[in-house]
Amino acid sequence: MIKLKTPISEEEIRKLRVGDTVLLSGTVVTARDQAHKLMIEEKPDFVRDDLRESVIYHCGPVVRKDDKGEWHFVSAGPTTSAREEPYQAEVIKEYQVRGVIGKGGMGARTAEGLKNYGAVYFHAVGGAGTLIANAVKKVKTVYKLDEFGTPEAFWVIQVEDFPLVVTMDAHGGSLHKEIMEKSSKIADELIHQI
Amino acid sequence: MDLKTPVLELIRKASSDLPPDVEQSLKLAQAGEEKNTPAWNVFSTILENVQMARKQSTPICQDTGSLVFYIDYPEGGLEREYKKAVSAAVVEATNLQYLRPNAVDPVTAKNSGNNLGVNAPYFHFNQWDKKDIRIRLMLKGGGSENVSTQYKLPHSSLGAGRDLIGVRKLVIDAVRNAQGLGCAPGVIGVGIGGTRDISYTLAKEQLFRKIGQRSESGELAQLEIKLYEDLNKLGIGPMGFGGKTTALEVFIGSQHRHPATFYVSISYMCWAFRRKTLHIINGEVSYDD
Ligand code: SF4
């Protein structure tokens, strides 16, 4: 089990390998489809400081506002990352992001980006909404809430011991590719035999 | 009688209280994995999450899915009254964060904000001979819906003909293509026969069964067992990290088909297999998984 805390240096991130289990603490920013589109089309500055050497989280949370007007995460597991494939590598470069958290893995373009700019893809446990929300200790701020709505807004959160597995590293390794190839071979054999 | 309050409780339970049969099968799956592997760790996280959600009454998964209601009602019951009460419960459940707003108008891209919309929730009504009311609810996640699929037989590239062996090949192919994306390990509902739309419906209806509940047809029960073994040989594992458990269960249903067609639909349900039933018998309310 490796403990990581943001800000994360390029050197630290390059040490990680596919299959490593990580507990992440520090600043994480949620971003889904609309947020990624905005970061590419308009390259806004308001998230720049929060994202530098930090981590993006593909997540559309369930949130609650308390009587004092403060936000809390109620359930916040990962969403499918593949939808951000057209944008991810460029966002990593533009904002010097060190990691992306999601589920299902990403494609070749992102893999290239991870290698070139020094970042990794962390896989969270899909469906573990309540547990991950409990690892969110604080909602620091939120951007574009009115415009994008709850699931699509940029939520800047402070996390503690967020459980993750590195499934794509900064050296071109991808667990997703590996498992896809292996399981495909077994499936082909089974389909042939029966 | 007041229907809104018991339906609100039904939704709360569905969202936060994973059925014990599913939890049990997840525990068994973990016992089959090697300790401290990524697969084993996933099950630890899942099981801890399940307990936390139950204790805190918060959604097991933040994607509280599309709402699918199956309502059986007695003679004299009015569908519009049930719809009204259930819709009111859905709005309140959304306000209480048991549900995330998940109804988006595909034309305007606007989220209705309260889970109501055209065919949202989806209602299936059935008037039966009993005097009781039964409301079954399934929360069907978007990620698992996206890997659900439909085939038609024969299928030449898979070498699948118009028989149960052909069906077996298709299901293996579908689960291979899904990888971990539907939040594996999944529960696989299969519908054989019918027109395209009813074929999908039949596949989804299988997911109201409990883990271990075999098909009443001997042939289909056999196929369920064989496919369960096949799928768990694939090595996709929880979240697609590799491992021994790729499927928790396989449920198959069949219905008559047109001579010219042979559809096979696969409804993939994620491990967060959320379903609950509300019974109202002689005015008494009770819940079931
Ligand atoms: S597939 Fe299921 S468990 Fe995974 S994120 Fe969607 S609803 Fe949650």
Side-chain angles (χ1 to χ4, degrees), chain B residues 62-137:
Chain B
Q62 79 292 335
D63 179 3
T64 53
S66 296
L67 296 140
V68 182
F69 285 99
Y70 271 65
I71 303 181
D72 302 293
Y73 65 97
E75 198 182 316
L78 292 174
E79 290 184 9
R80 64 172 179 276
E81 293 294 327
Y82 296 121
K83 244 184 181 169
K84 211 169 112 190
V86 171
S87 300
V90 165
V91 171
E92 189 160 340
T94 313
N95 287 335
L96 291 169
Q97 290 105 25
Y98 301 154
L99 300 174
R100 186 178 74 181
N102 269 355
V104 180
D105 182 328
V107 179
T108 61
K110 218 177 135 36
N111 190 321
S112 73
N114 61 7
N115 275 305
L116 300 186
V118 180
N119 271 334
Y122 176 73
F123 289 99
H124 184 282
F125 285 104
N126 170 50
Q127 191 177 58
W128 62 2
D129 292 335
K130 299 184 195 175
K131 293 209 159 51
D132 321 334
I133 302 170
R134 180 177 73 168
I135 302 182
R136 291 180 293 169
L137 167 61

Side-chain angles (χ1 to χ4, degrees), chain B residues 167-185:
Chain B
V167 172
R168 193 170 153 198
K169 294 184 181 192
L170 298 181
V171 177
I172 295 171
D173 186 58
V175 173
R176 170 248 307 265
N177 292 337
Q179 291 290 301
L181 282 171
C183 286

Side-chain angles (χ1 to χ4, degrees), chain A residues 78 103 126-127, chain B residues 61-63 141-144 182-183 270-272 274:
Chain A
K103 71 168 177 117
Chain B
C61 178
Q62 79 292 335
D63 179 3
S144 62
C183 286
C270 44
W271 70 259
R274 291 156 292 173

Side-chain angles (χ1 to χ4, degrees), chain A residues 31-32 35-41 43 47-48 51 56 58 84-100 117 154:
Chain A
R32 292 177 50 137
H36 278 80
K37 198 161 172 271
L38 185 84
M39 286 189 279
I40 291 307
E41 287 174 0
K43 301 191 170 42
V47 276
R48 223 169 260 287
L51 283 178
I56 283 181
H58 298 153
E84 316 320 335
E85 181 65 12
Y87 314 110
Q88 200 65 73
E90 212 181 319
V91 166
I92 290 170
K93 181 180 172 205
E94 176 69 29
Y95 290 93
Q96 295 165 51
V97 179
R98 285 281 169 255
V100 176
Y117 315 124
F154 291 89

Side-chain angles (χ1 to χ4, degrees), chain A residues 57-89:
Chain A
Y57 182 22
H58 298 153
C59 169
V62 175
V63 294
R64 175 175 65 83
K65 200 180 200 171
D66 67 18
D67 301 339
K68 286 180 273 168
E70 278 181 39
W71 290 103
H72 301 272
F73 272 34
V74 176
S75 192
T79 189
T80 303
S81 299
R83 288 193 306 266
E84 316 320 335
E85 181 65 12
Y87 314 110
Q88 200 65 73

Side-chain angles (χ1 to χ4, degrees), chain A residues 60 62-63 74-78 103-104 123 126-131 134 167 179-180 183-184 186 188 190-191 194, chain B residues 48-49 52-53 56 58-62 97 100 158 168-169 176 179 181 183 230 233-234 236 239-242 271:
Chain A
V62 175
V63 294
V74 176
S75 192
K103 71 168 177 117
H123 203 299
T130 286
L131 182 133
N134 281 20
T167 57
I179 299 289
M180 178 58 161
S183 59
S184 243
I186 299 168
D188 285 338
L190 277 169
I191 288 168
I194 55 183
Chain B
E48 202 186 329
N49 177 61
M52 275 182 176
Q56 303 177 0
T58 48
I60 297 167
C61 178
Q62 79 292 335
Q97 290 105 25
R100 186 178 74 181
L158 292 171
R168 193 170 153 198
K169 294 184 181 192
R176 170 248 307 265
Q179 291 290 301
L181 282 171
C183 286
D230 291 335
K233 282 181 192 153
L234 295 177
I236 294 168
M239 295 299 128
F241 289 175
W271 70 259

Side-chain angles (χ1 to χ4, degrees), chain A residues 89-156:
Chain A
E90 212 181 319
V91 166
I92 290 170
K93 181 180 172 205
E94 176 69 29
Y95 290 93
Q96 295 165 51
V97 179
R98 285 281 169 255
V100 176
I101 307 170
K103 71 168 177 117
M106 301 190 75
R109 212 161 133 187
T110 302
E112 255 324 279
L114 298 176
K115 214 158 79 181
N116 293 341
Y117 315 124
V120 300
Y121 179 83
F122 296 109
H123 203 299
V125 175
T130 286
L131 182 133
I132 297 171
N134 281 20
V136 176
K137 297 302 167 195
K138 198 179 165 201
V139 175
K140 291 164 99 176
T141 185
V142 56
Y143 303 112
K144 295 279 171 190
L145 179 58
D146 290 341
E147 209 176 310
F148 291 174
T150 306
E152 298 278 339
F154 291 89
W155 294 91
V156 182

